[in-house]
Amino acid sequence: ATHASNPQVYALTRARILGPRNPYYFKGSRLTGLGSPHTSHGYVWPLAHAVEALTTSDTARQAAVFKDLLLMAEGNGLVHESVNVDNPSAFSRAEFGWANAMLVVAVEQLLGADCDAEAEGWRLGEVRRREAGDQSIRPQNGGRDQPSYYELLEATVAHALRRLRRRG
């Protein structure tokens, strides 16, 4: 984790945000962490947990955060918007893409894993499941998209972003 040029200010800021002096830092019987005024009292953000793991060099804290993130995915296996500190199966937004994406970033950066292959395997399983129930669909290529599809998609996104920047 990279720290600001003044380690003392960084440490004090981190302690203030991730501690009891913050009115949105909640401690419960199963979880402790940063919540928000935008979600219910006593609910912590998995997104904040992932950022906490990414911004510390304390490997014991990183391991504890990952353990909490697994607990927070209770129920449907996805990372939620917020989770109750006493009952992780109580959550807001059953699927919160931003938090799921941040967890992937944390796993890839801190554990050195490549989540692309696992995600593609999951996606293909979902395609097979969906296609198995619909006899009118015949997979053209066994469900795996051609790499050229992604190259074209990425080029299209880059082109669209350039056009938006020119307009703004």
Side-chain angles (χ1 to χ4, degrees), residues 35-81:
S36 161
H38 305 290
T39 52
S40 298
H41 183 82
Y43 279 65
V44 294
W45 279 21
L47 175 63
H49 265 64
V51 171
E52 181 183 350
L54 284 164
T55 58
T56 184
S57 55
D58 181 347
T59 55
R61 183 62 195 144
Q62 289 169 345
V65 168
F66 276 116
K67 183 179 175 186
D68 283 352
L69 285 164
L70 290 173
L71 182 62
M72 290 177 183
E74 204 171 275
N76 66 0
L78 296 171
V79 181
H80 314 296
E81 175 188 40

Side-chain angles (χ1 to χ4, degrees), residues 55-159:
T55 58
T56 184
S57 55
D58 181 347
T59 55
R61 183 62 195 144
Q62 289 169 345
V65 168
F66 276 116
K67 183 179 175 186
D68 283 352
L69 285 164
L70 290 173
L71 182 62
M72 290 177 183
E74 204 171 275
N76 66 0
L78 296 171
V79 181
H80 314 296
E81 175 188 40
S82 67
V83 179
N84 184 278
V85 293
D86 295 313
N87 178 10
S89 60
F91 52 82
S92 63
R93 289 196 199 179
E95 182 177 351
F96 192 46
W98 188 11
N100 279 283
M102 190 57 73
L103 175 59
V104 169
V105 169
V107 167
E108 288 184 339
Q109 287 189 13
L110 299 175
L111 302 179
D114 180 357
C115 297
D116 290 347
E118 183 68 27
E120 178 68 358
W122 178 85
R123 187 190 69 77
L124 291 174
E126 287 297 302
V127 167
R128 281 191 290 281
R129 183 188 59 73
R130 199 170 48 249
E131 289 176 350
D134 185 348
Q135 298 304 316
S136 68
I137 298 174
R138 294 177 183 253
Q140 299 295 316
N141 59 6
R144 184 168 185 80
D145 293 324
Q146 300 297 321
S148 59
Y149 168 80
Y150 291 106
E151 292 165 9
L152 178 62
L153 182 62
E154 288 174 7
T156 303
V157 169
H159 176 70

Side-chain angles (χ1 to χ4, degrees), residues 10-23 25 34:
Y10 180 85
L12 290 171
T13 303
R14 188 176 182 86
R16 169 80 167 135
I17 292 169
L18 299 174
R21 291 180 55 203
N22 181 344
Y25 191 80
L34 187 60

